[in-house]
Amino acid sequence: ASSTTTTITTESAGASEIRLSQSDERMLKQLAQAHLSEINLGKLAQDKAQSDEVKSFAKKMVDDYTKAQDELRQLAQSKSIALPAEPDRQQQSVEKKLAALSGEKFDRQYMQHEGTRAHRETYRLLERITSKAEDAELKSYAGKIIGTVESHQQMATDTRKNLKSTS
């Protein structure tokens, strides 16, 4: 009888791992959109930035968020969730505004966006996931990524200061 109980427990545990709550699924998708936005903006900055320091920062964003997005995609696949293919409307709007700029103006606006809104919003989302998510794997992922986002915020702040001191 105990082996039957074990089998049932294992099956039910496996089933609950796959299904995410609506709230967890929504947070996972928002995080995917934030990652996509960072990757798109980073690629844009690698093309348009005037400052080598901004280009270097942008390359780090593309590399780090591509890696983070790959890990998130694996997590989503294990939960049978399709991730969004593009950032949300607001993120796309920021991308359009930045795409219209060039030179120093682009550098300043991109670094201001990176140093303030983008990472702050992502950080708050990760905090919400680590405290409120029901899924242990999603929580663990957020806990791992939050340190990376903190270091990006610091890098963005430093890069912005350096831009101001050279202009």
Side-chain angles (χ1 to χ4, degrees):
S2 67
S3 67
T4 310
T5 310
T6 307
T7 307
I8 291 166
T9 309
T10 306
E11 282 176 12
S12 64
S16 70
E17 276 176 21
I18 292 174
R19 273 254 117 63
L20 281 187
S21 69
Q22 280 187 313
S23 170
D24 283 6
E25 185 174 337
R26 191 170 46 251
M27 290 188 290
L28 185 136
K29 288 180 175 179
Q30 288 171 334
L31 196 53
Q33 288 177 310
H35 290 353
L36 288 170
S37 177
E38 285 295 339
I39 293 165
N40 291 353
L41 291 176
K43 286 177 179 173
L44 184 67
Q46 284 179 302
D47 287 342
K48 296 194 80 142
Q50 185 173 313
S51 156
D52 287 340
E53 196 172 358
V54 172
K55 285 184 183 204
S56 170
F57 174 85
K59 182 183 181 338
K60 177 123 181 83
M61 294 305 101
V62 171
D63 293 347
D64 287 358
Y65 283 105
T66 299
K67 183 175 179 263
Q69 186 71 348
D70 289 343
E71 290 175 28
L72 192 63
R73 191 176 297 111
Q74 288 172 358
L75 176 61
Q77 281 173 342
S78 76
K79 310 291 179 188
S80 302
I81 292 171
L83 291 181
E86 55 188 26
D88 70 26
R89 268 200 205 92
Q90 186 182 357
Q91 292 158 337
Q92 289 177 34
S93 163
V94 168
E95 204 176 314
K96 278 194 187 102
K97 284 178 189 155
L98 283 171
L101 302 174
S102 59
E104 281 179 38
K105 200 169 197 174
F106 174 88
D107 290 4
R108 271 197 315 275
Q109 289 295 312
Y110 171 67
M111 291 315 303
Q112 185 178 348
H113 175 75
E114 287 301 302
T116 55
R117 219 176 78 225
H119 284 106
R120 201 175 306 136
E121 286 173 9
T122 302
Y123 188 81
R124 279 201 296 260
L125 176 58
L126 288 166
E127 279 186 317
R128 204 165 68 235
I129 292 170
T130 54
S131 68
K132 296 199 175 3
E134 294 165 29
D135 185 79
E137 288 176 279
L138 180 57
K139 267 185 159 168
S140 169
Y141 173 85
K144 192 171 80 174
I145 298 294
I146 206 162
T148 305
V149 173
E150 281 176 334
S151 72
H152 291 163
Q153 282 178 305
Q154 190 55 55
M155 279 176 63
T157 302
D158 295 345
T159 303
R160 269 190 21 237
K161 282 180 189 159
N162 292 342
L163 278 180
K164 282 180 184 155
S165 65
T166 58
S167 58

PDB file of all heavy atoms in Angstrom, residues 89-122:
ATOM      1  N   ARG A  89       3.800  47.137 -24.844  1.00  0.00           N
ATOM      2  CA  ARG A  89       3.621  48.380 -25.613  1.00  0.00           C
ATOM      3  C   ARG A  89       4.466  49.536 -25.082  1.00  0.00           C
ATOM      4  O   ARG A  89       5.071  50.278 -25.839  1.00  0.00           O
ATOM      5  CB  ARG A  89       2.152  48.798 -25.601  1.00  0.00           C
ATOM      6  CG  ARG A  89       1.384  48.257 -26.766  1.00  0.00           C
ATOM      7  CD  ARG A  89       0.099  49.083 -26.985  1.00  0.00           C
ATOM      8  NE  ARG A  89      -0.892  48.272 -27.652  1.00  0.00           N
ATOM      9  CZ  ARG A  89      -1.814  47.549 -27.027  1.00  0.00           C
ATOM     10  NH1 ARG A  89      -1.872  47.533 -25.718  1.00  0.00           N
ATOM     11  NH2 ARG A  89      -2.679  46.840 -27.704  1.00  0.00           N
ATOM     12  N   GLN A  90       4.476  49.679 -23.776  1.00  0.00           N
ATOM     13  CA  GLN A  90       5.235  50.782 -23.163  1.00  0.00           C
ATOM     14  C   GLN A  90       6.731  50.625 -23.463  1.00  0.00           C
ATOM     15  O   GLN A  90       7.411  51.589 -23.808  1.00  0.00           O
ATOM     16  CB  GLN A  90       4.993  50.789 -21.649  1.00  0.00           C
ATOM     17  CG  GLN A  90       5.608  51.980 -20.957  1.00  0.00           C
ATOM     18  CD  GLN A  90       5.391  51.951 -19.440  1.00  0.00           C
ATOM     19  OE1 GLN A  90       4.738  51.063 -18.912  1.00  0.00           O
ATOM     20  NE2 GLN A  90       5.948  52.922 -18.750  1.00  0.00           N
ATOM     21  N   GLN A  91       7.239  49.409 -23.356  1.00  0.00           N
ATOM     22  CA  GLN A  91       8.654  49.151 -23.646  1.00  0.00           C
ATOM     23  C   GLN A  91       8.958  49.405 -25.127  1.00  0.00           C
ATOM     24  O   GLN A  91      10.011  49.953 -25.465  1.00  0.00           O
ATOM     25  CB  GLN A  91       9.012  47.710 -23.248  1.00  0.00           C
ATOM     26  CG  GLN A  91       8.972  47.481 -21.745  1.00  0.00           C
ATOM     27  CD  GLN A  91       8.804  46.009 -21.356  1.00  0.00           C
ATOM     28  OE1 GLN A  91       8.308  45.190 -22.126  1.00  0.00           O
ATOM     29  NE2 GLN A  91       9.217  45.677 -20.141  1.00  0.00           N
ATOM     30  N   GLN A  92       8.019  49.036 -25.996  1.00  0.00           N
ATOM     31  CA  GLN A  92       8.204  49.283 -27.435  1.00  0.00           C
ATOM     32  C   GLN A  92       8.207  50.776 -27.737  1.00  0.00           C
ATOM     33  O   GLN A  92       8.943  51.245 -28.617  1.00  0.00           O
ATOM     34  CB  GLN A  92       7.108  48.583 -28.245  1.00  0.00           C
ATOM     35  CG  GLN A  92       7.262  47.073 -28.263  1.00  0.00           C
ATOM     36  CD  GLN A  92       6.118  46.388 -29.001  1.00  0.00           C
ATOM     37  OE1 GLN A  92       5.587  46.913 -29.965  1.00  0.00           O
ATOM     38  NE2 GLN A  92       5.737  45.209 -28.530  1.00  0.00           N
ATOM     39  N   SER A  93       7.404  51.522 -26.995  1.00  0.00           N
ATOM     40  CA  SER A  93       7.342  52.970 -27.168  1.00  0.00           C
ATOM     41  C   SER A  93       8.690  53.613 -26.805  1.00  0.00           C
ATOM     42  O   SER A  93       9.181  54.499 -27.508  1.00  0.00           O
ATOM     43  CB  SER A  93       6.211  53.519 -26.302  1.00  0.00           C
ATOM     44  OG  SER A  93       6.343  54.889 -26.122  1.00  0.00           O
ATOM     45  N   VAL A  94       9.302  53.149 -25.724  1.00  0.00           N
ATOM     46  CA  VAL A  94      10.620  53.648 -25.313  1.00  0.00           C
ATOM     47  C   VAL A  94      11.638  53.346 -26.413  1.00  0.00           C
ATOM     48  O   VAL A  94      12.456  54.199 -26.779  1.00  0.00           O
ATOM     49  CB  VAL A  94      11.061  53.002 -23.974  1.00  0.00           C
ATOM     50  CG1 VAL A  94      12.535  53.271 -23.692  1.00  0.00           C
ATOM     51  CG2 VAL A  94      10.199  53.504 -22.830  1.00  0.00           C
ATOM     52  N   GLU A  95      11.553  52.145 -26.955  1.00  0.00           N
ATOM     53  CA  GLU A  95      12.466  51.728 -28.020  1.00  0.00           C
ATOM     54  C   GLU A  95      12.343  52.660 -29.232  1.00  0.00           C
ATOM     55  O   GLU A  95      13.344  53.099 -29.794  1.00  0.00           O
ATOM     56  CB  GLU A  95      12.120  50.291 -28.412  1.00  0.00           C
ATOM     57  CG  GLU A  95      13.252  49.538 -29.051  1.00  0.00           C
ATOM     58  CD  GLU A  95      12.877  48.081 -29.332  1.00  0.00           C
ATOM     59  OE1 GLU A  95      12.297  47.407 -28.440  1.00  0.00           O
ATOM     60  OE2 GLU A  95      13.157  47.637 -30.455  1.00  0.00           O
ATOM     61  N   LYS A  96      11.104  52.985 -29.621  1.00  0.00           N
ATOM     62  CA  LYS A  96      10.875  53.887 -30.765  1.00  0.00           C
ATOM     63  C   LYS A  96      11.467  55.268 -30.502  1.00  0.00           C
ATOM     64  O   LYS A  96      12.091  55.865 -31.381  1.00  0.00           O
ATOM     65  CB  LYS A  96       9.375  54.019 -31.048  1.00  0.00           C
ATOM     66  CG  LYS A  96       8.820  52.887 -31.876  1.00  0.00           C
ATOM     67  CD  LYS A  96       7.429  53.226 -32.419  1.00  0.00           C
ATOM     68  CE  LYS A  96       6.811  52.025 -33.094  1.00  0.00           C
ATOM     69  NZ  LYS A  96       5.813  51.339 -32.261  1.00  0.00           N
ATOM     70  N   LYS A  97      11.221  55.791 -29.283  1.00  0.00           N
ATOM     71  CA  LYS A  97      11.753  57.120 -28.936  1.00  0.00           C
ATOM     72  C   LYS A  97      13.279  57.132 -29.003  1.00  0.00           C
ATOM     73  O   LYS A  97      13.879  58.063 -29.535  1.00  0.00           O
ATOM     74  CB  LYS A  97      11.290  57.534 -27.541  1.00  0.00           C
ATOM     75  CG  LYS A  97       9.849  57.978 -27.495  1.00  0.00           C
ATOM     76  CD  LYS A  97       9.427  58.333 -26.075  1.00  0.00           C
ATOM     77  CE  LYS A  97       7.922  58.572 -26.026  1.00  0.00           C
ATOM     78  NZ  LYS A  97       7.368  58.342 -24.695  1.00  0.00           N
ATOM     79  N   LEU A  98      13.898  56.089 -28.449  1.00  0.00           N
ATOM     80  CA  LEU A  98      15.361  56.035 -28.460  1.00  0.00           C
ATOM     81  C   LEU A  98      15.900  55.852 -29.881  1.00  0.00           C
ATOM     82  O   LEU A  98      16.931  56.428 -30.227  1.00  0.00           O
ATOM     83  CB  LEU A  98      15.864  54.909 -27.554  1.00  0.00           C
ATOM     84  CG  LEU A  98      15.821  55.195 -26.056  1.00  0.00           C
ATOM     85  CD1 LEU A  98      16.123  53.941 -25.250  1.00  0.00           C
ATOM     86  CD2 LEU A  98      16.808  56.298 -25.682  1.00  0.00           C
ATOM     87  N   ALA A  99      15.205  55.081 -30.690  1.00  0.00           N
ATOM     88  CA  ALA A  99      15.653  54.824 -32.067  1.00  0.00           C
ATOM     89  C   ALA A  99      15.707  56.119 -32.883  1.00  0.00           C
ATOM     90  O   ALA A  99      16.497  56.231 -33.826  1.00  0.00           O
ATOM     91  CB  ALA A  99      14.740  53.805 -32.742  1.00  0.00           C
ATOM     92  N   ALA A 100      14.891  57.102 -32.501  1.00  0.00           N
ATOM     93  CA  ALA A 100      14.854  58.373 -33.227  1.00  0.00           C
ATOM     94  C   ALA A 100      16.013  59.298 -32.853  1.00  0.00           C
ATOM     95  O   ALA A 100      16.263  60.298 -33.519  1.00  0.00           O
ATOM     96  CB  ALA A 100      13.521  59.078 -32.958  1.00  0.00           C
ATOM     97  N   LEU A 101      16.734  58.964 -31.785  1.00  0.00           N
ATOM     98  CA  LEU A 101      17.838  59.811 -31.318  1.00  0.00           C
ATOM     99  C   LEU A 101      19.175  59.319 -31.871  1.00  0.00           C
ATOM    100  O   LEU A 101      19.284  58.197 -32.334  1.00  0.00           O
ATOM    101  CB  LEU A 101      17.896  59.795 -29.789  1.00  0.00           C
ATOM    102  CG  LEU A 101      16.646  60.243 -29.042  1.00  0.00           C
ATOM    103  CD1 LEU A 101      16.821  60.026 -27.544  1.00  0.00           C
ATOM    104  CD2 LEU A 101      16.326  61.704 -29.337  1.00  0.00           C
ATOM    105  N   SER A 102      20.176  60.186 -31.752  1.00  0.00           N
ATOM    106  CA  SER A 102      21.529  59.761 -32.129  1.00  0.00           C
ATOM    107  C   SER A 102      22.561  60.538 -31.313  1.00  0.00           C
ATOM    108  O   SER A 102      22.221  61.488 -30.610  1.00  0.00           O
ATOM    109  CB  SER A 102      21.760  59.974 -33.626  1.00  0.00           C
ATOM    110  OG  SER A 102      21.582  61.340 -33.933  1.00  0.00           O
ATOM    111  N   GLY A 103      23.797  60.098 -31.418  1.00  0.00           N
ATOM    112  CA  GLY A 103      24.911  60.790 -30.770  1.00  0.00           C
ATOM    113  C   GLY A 103      24.787  60.875 -29.260  1.00  0.00           C
ATOM    114  O   GLY A 103      24.270  59.966 -28.612  1.00  0.00           O
ATOM    115  N   GLU A 104      25.248  62.009 -28.740  1.00  0.00           N
ATOM    116  CA  GLU A 104      25.253  62.218 -27.285  1.00  0.00           C
ATOM    117  C   GLU A 104      23.845  62.171 -26.701  1.00  0.00           C
ATOM    118  O   GLU A 104      23.629  61.700 -25.591  1.00  0.00           O
ATOM    119  CB  GLU A 104      25.877  63.579 -26.937  1.00  0.00           C
ATOM    120  CG  GLU A 104      27.379  63.584 -26.967  1.00  0.00           C
ATOM    121  CD  GLU A 104      27.941  64.964 -26.644  1.00  0.00           C
ATOM    122  OE1 GLU A 104      27.373  65.659 -25.774  1.00  0.00           O
ATOM    123  OE2 GLU A 104      28.959  65.336 -27.265  1.00  0.00           O
ATOM    124  N   LYS A 105      22.883  62.676 -27.473  1.00  0.00           N
ATOM    125  CA  LYS A 105      21.495  62.689 -27.002  1.00  0.00           C
ATOM    126  C   LYS A 105      21.013  61.252 -26.781  1.00  0.00           C
ATOM    127  O   LYS A 105      20.368  60.953 -25.782  1.00  0.00           O
ATOM    128  CB  LYS A 105      20.609  63.410 -28.020  1.00  0.00           C
ATOM    129  CG  LYS A 105      19.313  63.884 -27.445  1.00  0.00           C
ATOM    130  CD  LYS A 105      18.602  64.824 -28.398  1.00  0.00           C
ATOM    131  CE  LYS A 105      17.540  65.598 -27.634  1.00  0.00           C
ATOM    132  NZ  LYS A 105      16.904  66.617 -28.441  1.00  0.00           N
ATOM    133  N   PHE A 106      21.331  60.368 -27.733  1.00  0.00           N
ATOM    134  CA  PHE A 106      20.968  58.958 -27.575  1.00  0.00           C
ATOM    135  C   PHE A 106      21.641  58.388 -26.328  1.00  0.00           C
ATOM    136  O   PHE A 106      20.990  57.755 -25.498  1.00  0.00           O
ATOM    137  CB  PHE A 106      21.372  58.113 -28.800  1.00  0.00           C
ATOM    138  CG  PHE A 106      21.138  56.639 -28.574  1.00  0.00           C
ATOM    139  CD1 PHE A 106      19.905  56.078 -28.862  1.00  0.00           C
ATOM    140  CD2 PHE A 106      22.118  55.831 -27.999  1.00  0.00           C
ATOM    141  CE1 PHE A 106      19.657  54.729 -28.603  1.00  0.00           C
ATOM    142  CE2 PHE A 106      21.882  54.488 -27.741  1.00  0.00           C
ATOM    143  CZ  PHE A 106      20.649  53.938 -28.039  1.00  0.00           C
ATOM    144  N   ASP A 107      22.942  58.616 -26.197  1.00  0.00           N
ATOM    145  CA  ASP A 107      23.702  58.078 -25.054  1.00  0.00           C
ATOM    146  C   ASP A 107      23.063  58.484 -23.729  1.00  0.00           C
ATOM    147  O   ASP A 107      22.835  57.652 -22.858  1.00  0.00           O
ATOM    148  CB  ASP A 107      25.163  58.563 -25.087  1.00  0.00           C
ATOM    149  CG  ASP A 107      25.973  57.948 -26.227  1.00  0.00           C
ATOM    150  OD1 ASP A 107      25.398  57.193 -27.040  1.00  0.00           O
ATOM    151  OD2 ASP A 107      27.181  58.224 -26.300  1.00  0.00           O
ATOM    152  N   ARG A 108      22.778  59.786 -23.611  1.00  0.00           N
ATOM    153  CA  ARG A 108      22.200  60.300 -22.356  1.00  0.00           C
ATOM    154  C   ARG A 108      20.839  59.670 -22.068  1.00  0.00           C
ATOM    155  O   ARG A 108      20.575  59.224 -20.958  1.00  0.00           O
ATOM    156  CB  ARG A 108      22.064  61.827 -22.409  1.00  0.00           C
ATOM    157  CG  ARG A 108      23.298  62.568 -21.929  1.00  0.00           C
ATOM    158  CD  ARG A 108      23.009  64.025 -21.599  1.00  0.00           C
ATOM    159  NE  ARG A 108      22.194  64.708 -22.592  1.00  0.00           N
ATOM    160  CZ  ARG A 108      22.685  65.277 -23.701  1.00  0.00           C
ATOM    161  NH1 ARG A 108      23.968  65.247 -23.946  1.00  0.00           N
ATOM    162  NH2 ARG A 108      21.872  65.880 -24.548  1.00  0.00           N
ATOM    163  N   GLN A 109      19.967  59.643 -23.081  1.00  0.00           N
ATOM    164  CA  GLN A 109      18.618  59.112 -22.879  1.00  0.00           C
ATOM    165  C   GLN A 109      18.637  57.612 -22.579  1.00  0.00           C
ATOM    166  O   GLN A 109      17.904  57.137 -21.708  1.00  0.00           O
ATOM    167  CB  GLN A 109      17.739  59.380 -24.114  1.00  0.00           C
ATOM    168  CG  GLN A 109      17.368  60.836 -24.289  1.00  0.00           C
ATOM    169  CD  GLN A 109      16.490  61.339 -23.160  1.00  0.00           C
ATOM    170  OE1 GLN A 109      15.506  60.710 -22.794  1.00  0.00           O
ATOM    171  NE2 GLN A 109      16.842  62.483 -22.594  1.00  0.00           N
ATOM    172  N   TYR A 110      19.466  56.887 -23.299  1.00  0.00           N
ATOM    173  CA  TYR A 110      19.572  55.435 -23.073  1.00  0.00           C
ATOM    174  C   TYR A 110      20.066  55.164 -21.657  1.00  0.00           C
ATOM    175  O   TYR A 110      19.487  54.356 -20.927  1.00  0.00           O
ATOM    176  CB  TYR A 110      20.505  54.796 -24.111  1.00  0.00           C
ATOM    177  CG  TYR A 110      20.835  53.340 -23.819  1.00  0.00           C
ATOM    178  CD1 TYR A 110      19.850  52.345 -23.889  1.00  0.00           C
ATOM    179  CD2 TYR A 110      22.125  52.954 -23.473  1.00  0.00           C
ATOM    180  CE1 TYR A 110      20.150  51.008 -23.621  1.00  0.00           C
ATOM    181  CE2 TYR A 110      22.434  51.621 -23.206  1.00  0.00           C
ATOM    182  CZ  TYR A 110      21.442  50.660 -23.280  1.00  0.00           C
ATOM    183  OH  TYR A 110      21.748  49.342 -23.002  1.00  0.00           O
ATOM    184  N   MET A 111      21.113  55.853 -21.238  1.00  0.00           N
ATOM    185  CA  MET A 111      21.672  55.615 -19.904  1.00  0.00           C
ATOM    186  C   MET A 111      20.725  56.088 -18.814  1.00  0.00           C
ATOM    187  O   MET A 111      20.652  55.475 -17.756  1.00  0.00           O
ATOM    188  CB  MET A 111      23.049  56.281 -19.756  1.00  0.00           C
ATOM    189  CG  MET A 111      24.137  55.640 -20.604  1.00  0.00           C
ATOM    190  SD  MET A 111      24.196  53.812 -20.570  1.00  0.00           S
ATOM    191  CE  MET A 111      24.371  53.483 -18.825  1.00  0.00           C
ATOM    192  N   GLN A 112      19.980  57.147 -19.075  1.00  0.00           N
ATOM    193  CA  GLN A 112      18.996  57.594 -18.087  1.00  0.00           C
ATOM    194  C   GLN A 112      17.908  56.528 -17.936  1.00  0.00           C
ATOM    195  O   GLN A 112      17.514  56.187 -16.821  1.00  0.00           O
ATOM    196  CB  GLN A 112      18.389  58.927 -18.506  1.00  0.00           C
ATOM    197  CG  GLN A 112      17.445  59.475 -17.453  1.00  0.00           C
ATOM    198  CD  GLN A 112      16.876  60.831 -17.838  1.00  0.00           C
ATOM    199  OE1 GLN A 112      17.349  61.470 -18.777  1.00  0.00           O
ATOM    200  NE2 GLN A 112      15.870  61.254 -17.113  1.00  0.00           N
ATOM    201  N   HIS A 113      17.450  56.005 -19.056  1.00  0.00           N
ATOM    202  CA  HIS A 113      16.426  54.948 -19.018  1.00  0.00           C
ATOM    203  C   HIS A 113      16.963  53.724 -18.280  1.00  0.00           C
ATOM    204  O   HIS A 113      16.287  53.165 -17.413  1.00  0.00           O
ATOM    205  CB  HIS A 113      16.015  54.564 -20.445  1.00  0.00           C
ATOM    206  CG  HIS A 113      15.059  53.416 -20.481  1.00  0.00           C
ATOM    207  ND1 HIS A 113      13.734  53.541 -20.142  1.00  0.00           N
ATOM    208  CD2 HIS A 113      15.249  52.109 -20.786  1.00  0.00           C
ATOM    209  CE1 HIS A 113      13.146  52.361 -20.243  1.00  0.00           C
ATOM    210  NE2 HIS A 113      14.032  51.477 -20.631  1.00  0.00           N
ATOM    211  N   GLU A 114      18.176  53.320 -18.595  1.00  0.00           N
ATOM    212  CA  GLU A 114      18.770  52.133 -17.977  1.00  0.00           C
ATOM    213  C   GLU A 114      19.019  52.344 -16.486  1.00  0.00           C
ATOM    214  O   GLU A 114      18.858  51.433 -15.689  1.00  0.00           O
ATOM    215  CB  GLU A 114      20.104  51.779 -18.661  1.00  0.00           C
ATOM    216  CG  GLU A 114      19.934  51.195 -20.030  1.00  0.00           C
ATOM    217  CD  GLU A 114      19.101  49.928 -20.008  1.00  0.00           C
ATOM    218  OE1 GLU A 114      19.475  48.974 -19.311  1.00  0.00           O
ATOM    219  OE2 GLU A 114      18.072  49.892 -20.691  1.00  0.00           O
ATOM    220  N   GLY A 115      19.458  53.538 -16.129  1.00  0.00           N
ATOM    221  CA  GLY A 115      19.823  53.813 -14.744  1.00  0.00           C
ATOM    222  C   GLY A 115      18.635  54.032 -13.834  1.00  0.00           C
ATOM    223  O   GLY A 115      18.735  53.898 -12.622  1.00  0.00           O
ATOM    224  N   THR A 116      17.516  54.390 -14.435  1.00  0.00           N
ATOM    225  CA  THR A 116      16.362  54.682 -13.581  1.00  0.00           C
ATOM    226  C   THR A 116      15.244  53.684 -13.816  1.00  0.00           C
ATOM    227  O   THR A 116      15.166  52.671 -13.151  1.00  0.00           O
ATOM    228  CB  THR A 116      15.869  56.133 -13.803  1.00  0.00           C
ATOM    229  OG1 THR A 116      15.607  56.332 -15.195  1.00  0.00           O
ATOM    230  CG2 THR A 116      16.885  57.149 -13.336  1.00  0.00           C
ATOM    231  N   ARG A 117      14.421  53.935 -14.809  1.00  0.00           N
ATOM    232  CA  ARG A 117      13.175  53.194 -14.927  1.00  0.00           C
ATOM    233  C   ARG A 117      13.326  51.704 -15.212  1.00  0.00           C
ATOM    234  O   ARG A 117      12.759  50.878 -14.512  1.00  0.00           O
ATOM    235  CB  ARG A 117      12.285  53.855 -15.968  1.00  0.00           C
ATOM    236  CG  ARG A 117      10.838  53.821 -15.510  1.00  0.00           C
ATOM    237  CD  ARG A 117       9.891  54.540 -16.416  1.00  0.00           C
ATOM    238  NE  ARG A 117       9.601  53.732 -17.573  1.00  0.00           N
ATOM    239  CZ  ARG A 117       9.578  54.197 -18.810  1.00  0.00           C
ATOM    240  NH1 ARG A 117       9.835  55.452 -19.048  1.00  0.00           N
ATOM    241  NH2 ARG A 117       9.297  53.403 -19.804  1.00  0.00           N
ATOM    242  N   ALA A 118      14.069  51.364 -16.236  1.00  0.00           N
ATOM    243  CA  ALA A 118      14.119  49.964 -16.685  1.00  0.00           C
ATOM    244  C   ALA A 118      14.515  49.013 -15.568  1.00  0.00           C
ATOM    245  O   ALA A 118      13.803  48.062 -15.266  1.00  0.00           O
ATOM    246  CB  ALA A 118      15.081  49.825 -17.861  1.00  0.00           C
ATOM    247  N   HIS A 119      15.639  49.293 -14.941  1.00  0.00           N
ATOM    248  CA  HIS A 119      16.124  48.366 -13.925  1.00  0.00           C
ATOM    249  C   HIS A 119      15.321  48.440 -12.633  1.00  0.00           C
ATOM    250  O   HIS A 119      15.160  47.438 -11.954  1.00  0.00           O
ATOM    251  CB  HIS A 119      17.622  48.564 -13.683  1.00  0.00           C
ATOM    252  CG  HIS A 119      18.448  47.979 -14.786  1.00  0.00           C
ATOM    253  ND1 HIS A 119      19.076  48.756 -15.719  1.00  0.00           N
ATOM    254  CD2 HIS A 119      18.696  46.698 -15.127  1.00  0.00           C
ATOM    255  CE1 HIS A 119      19.683  47.963 -16.586  1.00  0.00           C
ATOM    256  NE2 HIS A 119      19.473  46.714 -16.251  1.00  0.00           N
ATOM    257  N   ARG A 120      14.797  49.619 -12.321  1.00  0.00           N
ATOM    258  CA  ARG A 120      13.979  49.741 -11.112  1.00  0.00           C
ATOM    259  C   ARG A 120      12.706  48.901 -11.251  1.00  0.00           C
ATOM    260  O   ARG A 120      12.326  48.190 -10.328  1.00  0.00           O
ATOM    261  CB  ARG A 120      13.642  51.204 -10.831  1.00  0.00           C
ATOM    262  CG  ARG A 120      13.250  51.423  -9.384  1.00  0.00           C
ATOM    263  CD  ARG A 120      13.014  52.868  -9.026  1.00  0.00           C
ATOM    264  NE  ARG A 120      14.146  53.719  -9.362  1.00  0.00           N
ATOM    265  CZ  ARG A 120      14.021  54.908  -9.953  1.00  0.00           C
ATOM    266  NH1 ARG A 120      12.858  55.385 -10.293  1.00  0.00           N
ATOM    267  NH2 ARG A 120      15.084  55.640 -10.197  1.00  0.00           N
ATOM    268  N   GLU A 121      12.079  48.975 -12.414  1.00  0.00           N
ATOM    269  CA  GLU A 121      10.856  48.192 -12.644  1.00  0.00           C
ATOM    270  C   GLU A 121      11.142  46.692 -12.621  1.00  0.00           C
ATOM    271  O   GLU A 121      10.401  45.913 -12.032  1.00  0.00           O
ATOM    272  CB  GLU A 121      10.207  48.594 -13.976  1.00  0.00           C
ATOM    273  CG  GLU A 121       9.530  49.946 -13.914  1.00  0.00           C
ATOM    274  CD  GLU A 121       9.020  50.438 -15.254  1.00  0.00           C
ATOM    275  OE1 GLU A 121       9.024  49.662 -16.231  1.00  0.00           O
ATOM    276  OE2 GLU A 121       8.615  51.612 -15.321  1.00  0.00           O
ATOM    277  N   THR A 122      12.231  46.299 -13.272  1.00  0.00           N
ATOM    278  CA  THR A 122      12.606  44.876 -13.284  1.00  0.00           C
ATOM    279  C   THR A 122      12.933  44.413 -11.870  1.00  0.00           C
ATOM    280  O   THR A 122      12.510  43.335 -11.450  1.00  0.00           O
ATOM    281  CB  THR A 122      13.815  44.638 -14.218  1.00  0.00           C
ATOM    282  OG1 THR A 122      13.472  45.093 -15.529  1.00  0.00           O
ATOM    283  CG2 THR A 122      14.188  43.167 -14.282  1.00  0.00           C
TER     284      THR A 122
END
